[in-house]
């Protein structure tokens, strides 16, 4: 039977079980020990095991038939084979355990990689969400910062304008103080002149009394002598002539046309000529005026009481930033003069923004600006921010209809404010030579911080507006009075409430026959 022997180096040699080739002795015929030096895995171990089992059985059978002397080396080799087989089992078990541990480790690593991938996706999603939220917050913060910067610049400019206005008022007060001092000097000189005049009048009174006594004595003598008779005796001396009135400069009085007399606000009349009646008598000849009765007084109708045909009415019910009316188209050309007139009824404790005109260059080109932080009843008349004038409109806070006209011209920068046909405020050197540019956004009821937007509820108007109209010229007082009396619109209006094509929020458009019937 041919068997295979595994030797060192992994080579195998055939050998016969009966005798060795070449006539070797008994020792040379002994089977050599088989050594297993390396294994390639579980399959290699199994194949080696299947090879060794037949070899072992063949050896056992051959040794039972052979001499007894050969059994001892055979058992020794068998023991060695057992030891090698045991070591092979240990090595095989160790390899199998290593393979199992490596498989478990790779499985754990794959699981961990999958969990790490899921966690990475979740973290990436959270990071994207946080970045989106941060970007949104940054955009809102940027918008708020820009709005705050615009408001701060607007506030700084208004403070500068207010400072200039206060300095102008200080100069006016200083000039008024100097004029008062001059008036005081004039009054003092008038007092001295009056004292001198009183002394002169006292002397004249004494002279008139003495002359009256002499005339009484002459009348007594004539009565004693009888009619047609002349009493004997010396002829009474004629009374000395009255001294001529002293001229005003000698009395220390200023002449009627002197500056002192004009500044004092008084005018002295020249003393009466001889033969003129006294002033009291002259005034008595003119007669006295009887006090007028209740029916003779001219009663002025309450504003808006009987005013009709004013056109559409816009009602702003609350301070929402959505309540706005757009007048379109805007100004067709640049304005070097302006008149804005309207009937207004205020429904809150402060005046909001009646009108706002903004361009890309400046969001306060023309504003009648009011807010809850200003003095109640005051409105800032702004032309080309930061220049403005504060207009007093306290009468509008009574909740009734009032007619308001704001007029401005770039010639000398003159402006006027009329309330119910009365001139309430006037001034000059306000935006002298300035021109309001065309192409902007004109809104009612809100103040624009940007073109067509940027509204603030604290600056919103709450109330009603009727008969609003805008002219590119300065109305004369007669036209203002006619407009406030409801006698028609002066010609040349460039915008009216009929041009309010876009009305947003809760603003209501109402048509009333008369203002007394309007909300």
């Amino acid at each position: 039977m041919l068997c295979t022997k595994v030797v060192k180096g992994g080579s195998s040699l055939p050998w016969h079980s009966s005798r060795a080739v070449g006539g070797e002795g008994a020792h040379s015929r002994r089977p050599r020990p088989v050594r297993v030096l390396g294994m390639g895995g579980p399959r290699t171990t199994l194949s080696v095991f299947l090879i060794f089992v037949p070899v072992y059985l063949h050896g056992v059978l051959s040794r039972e038939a052979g001499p007894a002397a050969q059994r001892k080396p055979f058992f020794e080799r068998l023991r060695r084979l057992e030891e090698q087989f045991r070591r092979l089992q240990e090595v095989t078990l160790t390899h199998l355990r290593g393979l199992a541990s490596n498989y478990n480790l790779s499985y754990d690593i794959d699981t961990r990689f999958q969990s790490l991938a899921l966690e990475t996706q979740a973290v990436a999603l959270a990071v994207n969400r946080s970045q989106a939220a941060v970007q949104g917050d940054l955009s809102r913060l940027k918008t708020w910062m820009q709005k705050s910067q615009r408001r701060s610049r607007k506030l700084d400019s208004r403070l500068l304008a207010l400072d200039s206005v206060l300095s102008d008022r200080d100069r006016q007060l200083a000039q008024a103080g100097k004029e008062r001092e001059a008036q005081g000097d004039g009054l003092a000189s008038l007092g001295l002149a009056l004292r001198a005049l009183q002394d002169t009048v006292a002397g004249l009174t004494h002279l008139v009394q003495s002359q009256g006594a002499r005339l009484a004595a002459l009348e007594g003598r004539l009565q004693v002598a009888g009619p047609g008779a002349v009493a004997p005796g010396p002829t009474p001396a004629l009374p000395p002539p009255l001294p001529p009135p002293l001229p005003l400069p000698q009395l220390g009085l200023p002449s009627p046309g002197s500056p002192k007399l004009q500044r004092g606000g008084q005018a002295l009349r020249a003393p009466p000529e001889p033969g003129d009646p006294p002033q009291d008598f002259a005034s008595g000849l003119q007669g006295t005026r009887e006090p007028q009765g209740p029916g003779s007084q001219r009663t002025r109708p309450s504003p808006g009481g009987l005013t009709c045909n004013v056109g559409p009415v816009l009602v702003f019910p609350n301070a929402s930033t959505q309540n706005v009316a757009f007048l379109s188209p805007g100004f067709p050309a640049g304005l070097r003069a302006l008149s804005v007139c309207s009937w207004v009824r205020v429904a809150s404790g402060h005046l909001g923004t009646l009108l706002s005109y903004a361009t890309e260059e400046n969001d306060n080109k023309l504003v009648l600006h009011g807010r809850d932080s200003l003095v109640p009843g005051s409105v800032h008349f702004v032309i080309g921010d930061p220049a403005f004038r504060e207009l007093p409109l306290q009468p509008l806070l009574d909740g009734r209809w009032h007619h308001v006209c704001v007029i401005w011209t770039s010639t000398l920068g003159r402006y006027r404010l009329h309330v119910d046909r009365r001139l309430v405020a006037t001034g000059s050197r306000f935006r002298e030579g300035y021109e309001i540019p065309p192409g902007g956004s004109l809104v009612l009821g809100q103040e624009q911080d940007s073109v067509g937007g940027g509204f603030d509820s604290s600056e919103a108007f709450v109330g009603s507006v009727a008969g609003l109209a805008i002219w590119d010229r300065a109305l004369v007082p007669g036209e203002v009075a006619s407009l406030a009396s409801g006698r028609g619109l002066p010609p040349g209006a460039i915008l009216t409430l009929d041009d309010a094509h876009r009305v947003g929020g809760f603003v209501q458009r109402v048509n009333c026959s008369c203002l007394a019937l309007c909300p």
Side-chain angles (χ1 to χ4, degrees):
M1 183 177 179
L2 182 63
C3 296
T4 304
K5 177 174 67 177
V6 180
V7 297
K8 185 177 181 181
S11 62
S12 60
L13 294 177
W15 59 284
H16 292 83
S17 60
S18 61
R19 288 185 180 181
V21 179
E24 292 181 357
H27 295 286
S28 61
R29 290 194 301 269
R30 295 175 183 174
R32 295 179 182 179
V34 179
R35 296 181 181 178
V36 180
L37 299 178
M39 306 301 295
R43 294 181 179 179
T44 307
T45 305
L46 182 60
S47 62
V48 172
F49 178 74
L50 293 176
I51 292 172
F52 275 110
V53 169
V55 172
Y56 174 72
L57 294 176
H58 177 73
V60 170
L61 295 176
S62 63
R63 284 182 180 79
E64 289 179 356
Q70 295 180 358
R71 293 181 179 178
K72 187 175 181 181
F74 176 77
F75 284 114
E76 185 178 354
R77 283 186 291 178
L78 184 60
R79 182 177 57 81
R80 292 176 181 175
L81 285 174
E82 290 177 355
E83 289 178 357
Q84 291 178 359
F85 183 72
R86 186 177 65 252
R87 292 176 183 174
L88 179 62
Q89 286 181 344
E90 293 177 355
V91 172
T92 303
L93 183 60
T94 303
H95 280 289
L96 290 175
R97 289 178 178 175
L99 290 175
S101 63
N102 291 333
Y103 177 76
N104 294 332
L105 181 61
S106 63
Y107 180 76
D108 294 340
I109 290 174
D110 293 338
T111 305
R112 291 181 181 178
F113 271 120
Q114 291 178 359
S115 62
L116 286 175
L118 295 177
E119 292 178 358
T120 304
Q121 292 178 359
V123 169
L125 183 60
V127 169
N128 292 333
R129 291 179 180 175
S130 62
Q131 287 180 353
V134 169
Q135 289 178 357
D137 294 339
L138 287 177
S139 62
R140 287 191 295 271
L141 181 61
K142 184 178 179 181
T143 304
W144 181 81
M145 288 293 295
Q146 291 176 354
K147 189 173 182 179
S148 300
Q149 289 176 357
R150 288 196 299 268
R151 290 185 178 179
S152 63
R153 288 196 299 268
K154 187 186 301 182
L155 182 60
D156 293 338
S157 60
R158 289 179 180 177
L159 288 176
L160 292 176
L162 183 60
D163 189 14
S164 63
V165 171
L166 291 176
S167 59
D168 293 340
R169 288 185 180 179
D170 291 338
R171 288 193 295 270
Q172 292 176 1
L173 290 176
Q175 185 177 359
K178 293 179 181 179
E179 292 179 355
R180 289 177 183 176
E181 291 179 358
Q183 290 178 1
D185 296 339
L187 291 176
S189 61
L190 285 175
L192 295 176
L194 287 176
R195 292 193 188 94
L197 185 60
Q198 288 176 357
D199 295 339
T200 303
V201 170
L204 290 175
T205 303
H206 178 70
L207 182 59
V208 168
Q209 289 178 355
S210 61
Q211 294 298 330
R214 290 181 182 180
L215 289 176
L218 287 175
E219 289 178 355
R221 290 181 182 181
L222 289 175
Q223 291 177 359
V224 172
V230 178
T235 303
L238 293 174
L242 295 174
L246 295 176
L248 291 177
Q250 294 183 6
L251 291 175
L253 294 173
S255 61
S258 64
K260 290 184 179 181
L261 192 60
Q262 291 179 357
R263 286 195 301 265
Q266 299 177 359
L268 293 177
R269 297 180 181 177
E273 296 293 336
D276 292 342
Q279 295 179 3
D280 295 340
F281 178 73
S283 62
L285 291 178
Q286 294 176 359
T288 59
R289 295 181 180 180
E290 295 181 358
Q292 297 179 352
S296 61
Q297 295 180 357
R298 294 184 60 186
T299 60
R300 182 179 180 180
S302 61
L306 298 175
T307 304
C308 301
N309 300 324
V310 295
V313 179
L314 294 183
V315 181
F316 298 81
N318 51 45
S320 173
T321 55
Q322 299 179 357
N323 296 340
V324 62
F326 290 87
L327 295 180
S328 61
F331 299 144
L335 300 182
R336 301 185 64 86
L338 179 74
S339 297
V340 180
C341 298
S342 175
W343 288 96
V344 179
R345 186 182 67 85
V346 179
S348 63
H350 69 279
L351 290 174
T353 301
L354 297 175
L355 179 142
S356 174
Y357 180 68
T359 62
E360 294 292 344
E361 177 188 359
N362 191 337
D363 56 2
N364 290 322
K365 282 296 185 181
L366 172 63
V367 187
L368 289 175
H369 174 257
R371 60 179 298 134
D372 53 5
S373 60
L374 296 178
V375 178
S378 64
V379 169
H380 285 176
F381 179 35
V382 183
I383 294 182
D385 195 22
F388 75 95
R389 292 293 185 270
E390 185 172 348
L391 303 181
L393 291 173
Q394 285 80 9
L396 272 66
L397 297 179
D398 60 358
R400 299 179 180 178
W401 284 102
H402 294 272
H403 190 263
V404 179
C405 268
V406 179
I407 302 170
W408 169 82
T409 176
S410 62
T411 305
L412 300 179
R414 297 184 181 277
Y415 68 93
R416 306 194 311 271
L417 171 63
H418 296 264
V419 177
D420 298 333
R421 296 183 294 183
R422 292 183 292 108
L423 182 62
V424 175
T426 184
S428 60
R429 296 182 180 179
F430 176 47
R431 279 301 188 180
E432 183 177 358
Y434 185 77
E435 180 177 338
I436 301 174
S441 172
L442 183 61
V443 304
L444 302 178
Q446 297 286 347
E447 198 274 332
Q448 304 176 84
D449 284 337
S450 60
V451 177
F455 303 143
D456 190 347
S457 60
S458 62
E459 300 170 337
F461 172 76
V462 180
S464 303
V465 176
L468 184 139
I470 301 176
W471 291 262
D472 56 356
R473 62 184 181 88
L475 298 181
V476 298
E479 291 176 321
V480 174
S482 176
L483 185 61
S485 301
R487 284 178 282 178
L489 206 65
I494 60 176
L495 287 172
T496 63
L497 276 186
D498 293 331
D499 299 314
H501 300 298
R502 293 174 53 194
V503 176
F506 303 96
V507 179
Q508 301 175 3
R509 185 192 297 267
V510 182
N511 292 321
C512 302
S513 59
C514 296
L515 285 179
L517 305 177
C518 295

